[in-house]
């Protein structure tokens, strides 16, 4: 059960490994295009169809017709990767249960966007977790975990790709463990994974409003925020001048400097040694890759070549 590209890697590993995948469950095709008149199948459906696997696309997971059809496959185990919340009638159906591959080291970063939030919060390490589904979201008993280093130069795309491959690997290991135990496998309650005094970070869904840059934060935090939303959906800010001209600017890459702002208002722009800098709460932050509304993504140098009055603008 899955929808995006992240889930395809695990399904591919199952198919290539010769596991008996009896069916694939994914979201209904999405309307796309200017008039929403073209239906786009999910990445997982496209792969499943290419391999001749049956595909189920329920609108509602409790739909009796879907539940009956799913039960007819008599699956021993269900594997969930980047899908939706399942009702008990679905996750409790197989004799070996249902496990989820989550892109974080639970109990940290429960929620829909664990990769984004781990990078936004400046984490140096994340990972993948397999756990049995229960009544609440991302709270089930943990089966296995694998760590993943978030290098300083990584953005969400780098971490996503790494966890996608690691997720497929841990899914196979988990399945083998369950098969070897004939459904009996050691698992731990998440409460036992928590350290004393440890703060739990959540990973709620990302919305457009979530992606607004706060220049009043420190340069390091702003840079992590940009990394955590790059390349998609992209951190953004309003660029405005004294005449009231206003446009949206997306920022995809930034570099820390050691230049103090010396009281300059957060969001003030400056060209320094041919570089585009923006004032934060402490130091100037260098913008490297940006996109003005209606234009293509470009490096800051190309932007400055065509936008020489940038210092008349402030970002907010």
């Amino acid at each position: 059960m899955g929808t995006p590209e992240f889930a395809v890697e695990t399904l591919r590993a199952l198919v290539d490994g010769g596991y008996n995948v009896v069916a694939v469950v994914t979201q209904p095709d999405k309307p796309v295009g200017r008039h929403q008149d073209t239906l786009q199948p999910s990445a997982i459906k496209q792969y499943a169809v290419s391999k001749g696997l049956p595909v189920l696309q329920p609108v509602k997971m409790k739909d009796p017709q879907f539940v009956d059809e799913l039960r007819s496959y008599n699956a021993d185990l269900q594997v969930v990767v980047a899908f939706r919340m399942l009702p008990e009638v679905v996750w409790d159906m197989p004799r070996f249960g249902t496990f989820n591959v989550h892109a974080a080291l639970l109990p940290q970063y429960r929620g829909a966007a664990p990769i984004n939030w781990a990078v936004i919060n400046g984490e140096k390490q994340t990972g993948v977790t397999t756990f049995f589904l229960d009544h609440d979201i991302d709270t089930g008993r943990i089966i296995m975990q694998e760590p993943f280093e978030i290098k300083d130069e990584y953005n969400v795309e780098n971490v996503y790709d790494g966890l996608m491959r690691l997720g497929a690997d841990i899914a196979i290991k988990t399945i083998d463990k369950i098969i070897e135990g004939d459904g009996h496998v050691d698992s731990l309650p998440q409460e036992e994974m928590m350290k004393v005094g440890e703060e739990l970070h959540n990973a709620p869904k990302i919305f457009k409003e979530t992606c607004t840059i706060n220049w009043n934060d420190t340069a390091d935090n702003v840079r992590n925020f940009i990394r955590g939303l790059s390349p998609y959906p992209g951190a953004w800010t309003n660029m405005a001048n004294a005449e009231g001209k206003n446009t949206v600017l997306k920022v995809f890459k930034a570099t820390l400097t050691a230049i103090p702002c010396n009281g300059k208002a957060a969001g003030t722009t400056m060209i320094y040694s041919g570089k585009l800098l923006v004032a934060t709460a402490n130091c100037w932050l260098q913008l490297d890759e940006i996109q003005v509304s209606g234009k293509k993504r470009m490096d800051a140098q190309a932007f400055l070549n065509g936008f020489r009055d940038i210092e008349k603008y402030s970002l907010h």
Side-chain angles (χ1 to χ4, degrees), residues 114-145:
I115 304 176
N116 298 92
W117 287 107
V119 180
I120 287 172
N121 289 337
E123 301 286 0
K124 303 300 182 186
Q125 179 180 267
T126 183
V128 288
T129 301
T130 53
F131 68 96
F132 285 115
L133 266 64
D134 62 13
H135 292 94
D136 298 313
I137 298 176
D138 300 336
T139 59
R141 295 175 65 91
I142 290 175
I143 309 166
M144 297 183 73
Q145 290 189 322

Side-chain angles (χ1 to χ4, degrees), residues 9 11 16 19 21 23 43-44 73 79 83 114 126 154 169 197-198 209 229 235 309:
E9 194 75 13
L11 179 57
D16 291 348
Y19 294 84
V21 181
I44 203 90
Y73 286 100
V79 182
F83 196 45
T126 183
Y154 282 1
D169 183 59
E198 180 182 19
E209 297 74 25
L229 296 168
D309 59 346

Side-chain angles (χ1 to χ4, degrees), residues 253-268:
K253 187 178 180 182
T255 301
L256 295 174
T257 78
I259 308 170
C261 292
N262 294 327
K264 285 287 186 181
T268 300

